[in-house]
Amino acid sequence: MITPASTAPELGTELTLRGIVLGILITGVFTAANVYFGLKAGLTFATSIPAAVIAMALLRRAAGNSIGETNIVQTIASSAGTLSSIIFVLPGLVMIGWWTGFPYWMSMTLCALGGVLGVMYSIPLRRALVTNSPLPYPEGVACAEVLKVGHASGSGEANRQGLAAIIVGSLVSAGFAVIVATQVFAANLAQYFRLPGSDKGPGGATGYDLNFSFALLAVGHLVGLWVGIAILVGACIAWLGGVPWLTQGLEGVPEAVAMAAWSKKVRFIGAGCIAVAAIWTLVKLAKPVVAGLHGAAMSARVRKAGKADTLPRTEQDIPIGTVGLITLACMLPIGVMLSQFATSAGLGDQLGLLVVGGVVYVVLMSFFVAAVCGYMAGLIGSSNSPLSGVGILVVIGVSLLLALLVKPLLPPSTGQALVAFALFVTAVVFAVATISNDNLQDLKTGQLVDATPWRQQLALIIGVVAGALVIPPVLDLLNKAYGFAGAPGADPKTALAAPQAALISALAKGVIQGDLAWHLIGIGALVGVACIVADEVIKRGSGGRAHLAPLAVGLGIYLPLNSTLTIVVGAIAGWWFERRAGRQHNPEATKQLGVLMASGLIVGESLLGVILAAVVVFSGNGAPLALVGESFATAGQVLGTLAFGGIGLGLYAWLLRTSRG
């Protein structure tokens, strides 16, 4: 329900000690959940709205609680949904066998410095992409409405229902995951098979894989119908086109043949599609970026003239001069880390070139990704923003520079070390991308509740540091418990897929070692161009009601099939629920309950995954909760299918009843 401006709650005190502490605690929990879920499914979830609801429920009886304080809590906690996306790159160092774990201080410092740079780089973009922009910022607007409704008079029942939706979602998804861990319910419904062949050999292989994951179902609900359709289109291109075509005539077990073709070839088509879509976004962004920089410069002139007090409170950012000093202060330790990494990798002969070149690349590429990610978050939301596409561009860029300028100056034996260095530089830039992807979304929320920008920017820095402290130990725990697919010694049956990290490390190796399948990336680029054209045609033909997001098509091509199909099912289920919600007495509040329950589903399953990882590590048993053996597999699939469908329908029915009550 939209709160009219005339009755909007007063902002109140923004930065409070209890708000900061609560924000840090929520950040720690949600960061752990996002790290696990991202490694499993290749996606992370936005934490702003669930954090806002939790804060309102816990602080509603506290003296002096205000919408400004709650906004700061969600701003701090929002970093959990974004900084954890560093997992799209950092595990690559384990996958290529360079690291065996995650050195705490180096990993933590990398996340923290990159995150702070993300805040700094997005500050001069605020006016262009938030204040003077028509971008919808779907999650930022939704979070602002949650805050307004939650702090309106008589909103206690709405807060209670919202918190109940999160808790029920968390308990259901965690409970279901426990039963899956006992193997009484199967984890998925999958089958791989051959298409009709010919006299020349067997037909191409393909299959389907529906993961019984309420977290993935919830992601589909959150991304919406049209993004879900775009992901389905990408999955069809991969599994009804690319995989059968590339496996035509190949002997072998259908599943093994199909998965090899997808992982080694088809995913690079997805990479090309995502790269083209990201470049297209940058082209559309050029004009507002220039306008935003001009606005920041004009604001700096006002401050220098001693008229800072003439700026409205809602236009007061961290001063641009301070931004420059903090940026410079971050670059110095980044240079030291690059030096230490290069020296330990045996690249000391070209240390100066690597460190200076690495810092320059971080400076320039970080601003590029801050602009692109900020725009994409405004266009489709932080959750949907394809950070992995940005990572692809960044790693190809740094790998090409290393291959052309540094590799000829070093012995051939240093090839693997250069791959590791490329991944490390990419990780720094990617940390910038993750936070700039989130910061502008938060600032949009702040704009709608009349918050002070510099206070939000300070809160996000606090959240970045809190998240950076949590990420390395959680990564280490999951690496020891499950490992990462493709890493030396990892068990393929239990290893976490970490699809983006696998793809980005493969790109780095391919470029530097000179064996990258450029023709496949070229095919993906053509697919991306076709999707861009189709998207524009569909938008114009439908008056903007329908679209085909090229980035989502690329994701559908290279994300694992057991992620994409469940997300598509969730998108359809969410669409059905929202249509039913539209008939309710309070449709917007009912739809918001769906968003909150979806967030709870993700949090519950993900936290349970982290807990199970700890049990695996400390017990030394790879399946500590298993109650049945492989002979129960068929029955487990039947039970899992019936339970997954029945519980899903039951949850949506419960939400509709709750909203009527």
Side-chain angles (χ1 to χ4, degrees):
M1 181 175 67
I2 307 295
T3 305
S6 58
T7 61
E10 293 291 329
L11 180 66
T13 304
E14 295 178 83
L15 284 170
T16 65
L17 179 60
R18 70 187 178 195
I20 291 171
V21 171
L22 180 58
I24 290 172
L25 293 174
I26 296 174
T27 297
V29 173
F30 281 3
T31 297
N34 251 324
V35 168
Y36 172 80
F37 187 65
L39 289 170
K40 176 183 177 181
L43 296 165
T44 56
F45 66 98
T47 54
S48 292
I49 290 176
V53 171
I54 290 170
M56 287 187 294
L58 295 179
L59 297 176
R60 60 179 176 167
R61 299 187 185 280
N65 173 238
S66 65
I67 191 171
E69 181 180 36
T70 308
N71 181 50
I72 290 296
V73 174
Q74 73 82 17
T75 299
I76 294 173
S78 68
S79 62
T82 50
L83 187 60
S84 53
S85 296
I86 192 67
I87 60 171
F88 293 170
V89 180
L90 212 53
L93 288 164
V94 174
M95 290 177 162
I96 66 171
W98 195 258
W99 282 357
T100 56
F102 296 89
Y104 182 80
W105 289 109
M106 182 168 282
S107 302
M108 185 275 291
T109 305
L110 183 153
C111 293
L113 291 174
V116 171
L117 278 177
V119 179
M120 294 302 107
Y121 276 133
S122 58
I123 289 171
L125 298 172
R126 184 182 66 82
R127 288 177 177 82
L129 299 184
V130 178
T131 306
N132 303 317
S133 171
L135 290 171
Y137 285 98
E139 291 166 6
V141 172
C143 188
E145 292 306 324
V146 168
L147 290 172
K148 290 178 182 179
V149 171
H151 283 277
S153 57
S155 61
E157 179 62 18
N159 286 345
R160 187 194 64 77
Q161 289 182 351
L163 186 61
I166 293 175
I167 292 173
V168 169
S170 299
L171 292 176
V172 167
S173 64
F176 191 87
V178 168
I179 300 176
V180 168
T182 66
Q183 300 179 7
V184 172
F185 290 171
N188 61 341
L189 180 65
Q191 183 180 4
Y192 292 85
F193 48 85
R194 293 278 186 179
L195 297 176
S198 65
D199 295 339
K200 296 180 180 179
T206 188
Y208 60 86
D209 190 342
L210 182 68
N211 194 332
F212 298 145
S213 166
F214 279 106
L216 289 172
L217 187 81
V219 169
H221 181 117
L222 293 174
V223 301
L225 179 64
W226 291 107
V227 172
I229 289 174
I231 290 175
L232 178 61
V233 169
C236 290
I237 290 172
W239 290 93
L240 297 181
V243 172
W245 172 51
L246 291 168
T247 55
Q248 192 86 26
L250 295 181
E251 301 285 351
V253 178
E255 180 177 359
V257 171
M259 291 302 294
W262 170 77
S263 63
K264 291 181 167 52
K265 296 181 179 180
V266 174
R267 289 173 68 193
F268 289 95
I269 296 175
C273 180
I274 291 173
V276 165
I279 292 171
W280 173 245
T281 300
L282 177 64
V283 170
K284 294 193 295 183
L285 180 62
K287 185 176 179 180
V289 167
V290 172
L293 291 173
H294 176 72
M298 294 301 294
S299 175
R301 288 183 186 176
V302 171
R303 291 180 182 278
K304 286 182 180 179
K307 300 179 181 178
D309 56 340
T310 64
L311 287 173
R313 178 183 53 77
T314 53
E315 285 298 310
Q316 294 176 8
D317 295 293
I318 293 176
I320 199 69
T322 305
V323 169
L325 290 174
I326 294 175
T327 301
L328 180 61
C330 288
M331 289 303 168
L332 293 175
I334 286 174
V336 172
M337 282 200 305
L338 292 177
S339 175
Q340 290 177 344
F341 192 92
T343 302
S344 65
L347 302 173
D349 290 347
Q350 297 299 324
L351 187 62
L353 178 60
L354 287 169
V355 172
V356 173
V359 169
V360 170
Y361 188 81
V362 168
V363 170
L364 298 179
M365 203 65 174
S366 293
F367 187 77
F368 161 79
V369 300
V372 171
C373 289
Y375 182 86
M376 291 191 296
L379 185 65
I380 58 176
S382 299
S383 298
N384 304 333
S385 186
L387 286 170
S388 47
V390 174
I392 288 167
L393 294 176
V394 174
V395 77
I396 288 178
V398 69
S399 299
L400 281 172
L401 290 173
L402 290 171
L404 295 173
L405 302 179
V406 182
K407 186 179 177 182
L409 305 176
L410 291 168
S413 59
T414 57
Q416 188 78 341
L418 285 174
V419 172
F421 188 81
L423 291 176
F424 193 78
V425 173
T426 301
V428 176
V429 178
F430 204 80
V432 177
T434 63
I435 292 301
S436 55
N437 182 53
D438 169 72
N439 193 16
L440 295 175
Q441 195 82 245
D442 285 325
L443 291 172
K444 182 64 178 181
T445 299
Q447 180 196 29
L448 296 174
V449 300
D450 293 329
T452 310
W454 74 262
R455 290 189 172 95
Q456 279 192 278
Q457 290 152 8
L458 177 60
L460 200 68
I461 291 173
I462 294 171
V464 162
V465 175
L469 293 170
V470 173
I471 289 172
V474 175
L475 277 173
D476 243 349
L477 181 68
L478 295 174
N479 181 38
K480 291 176 182 176
Y482 306 120
F484 306 127
D491 183 350
K493 294 182 179 179
T494 59
L496 295 168
Q500 285 90 342
L503 180 60
I504 286 173
S505 58
L507 287 171
K509 289 172 68 175
V511 172
I512 291 174
Q513 296 175 0
D515 57 358
L516 183 64
W518 287 105
H519 68 288
L520 294 174
I521 292 180
I523 292 172
L526 292 176
V527 171
V529 171
C531 290
I532 289 170
V533 173
D535 186 39
E536 295 297 323
V537 171
I538 292 171
K539 284 178 181 175
R540 292 181 184 181
S542 65
R545 291 188 298 274
H547 62 96
L548 182 73
L551 293 159
V553 174
L555 285 172
I557 294 172
Y558 88 79
L559 282 179
L561 191 62
N562 66 357
S563 295
T564 54
L565 289 187
T566 311
I567 291 171
V568 172
V569 171
I572 296 171
W575 169 77
W576 171 82
F577 170 77
E578 295 207 345
R579 290 194 65 185
R580 293 289 302 272
R583 304 173 196 164
Q584 300 289 100
H585 173 68
N586 193 342
E588 292 305 317
T590 305
K591 292 176 184 178
Q592 194 58 54
L593 282 178
V595 171
L596 295 172
M597 185 192 73
S599 300
L601 290 172
I602 297 172
V603 170
E605 182 176 319
S606 302
L607 287 179
L608 195 277
V610 175
I611 293 169
L612 282 177
V615 174
V616 169
V617 169
F618 294 117
S619 70
N621 184 351
L625 302 184
L627 298 178
V628 296
E630 293 185 4
S631 60
F632 196 77
T634 302
Q637 282 196 338
V638 173
L639 291 174
T641 303
L642 294 175
F644 188 67
I647 293 172
L649 288 172
L651 283 172
Y652 280 124
W654 174 74
L655 283 181
L656 293 171
R657 287 197 306 272
T658 299
S659 65
R660 286 196 295 267

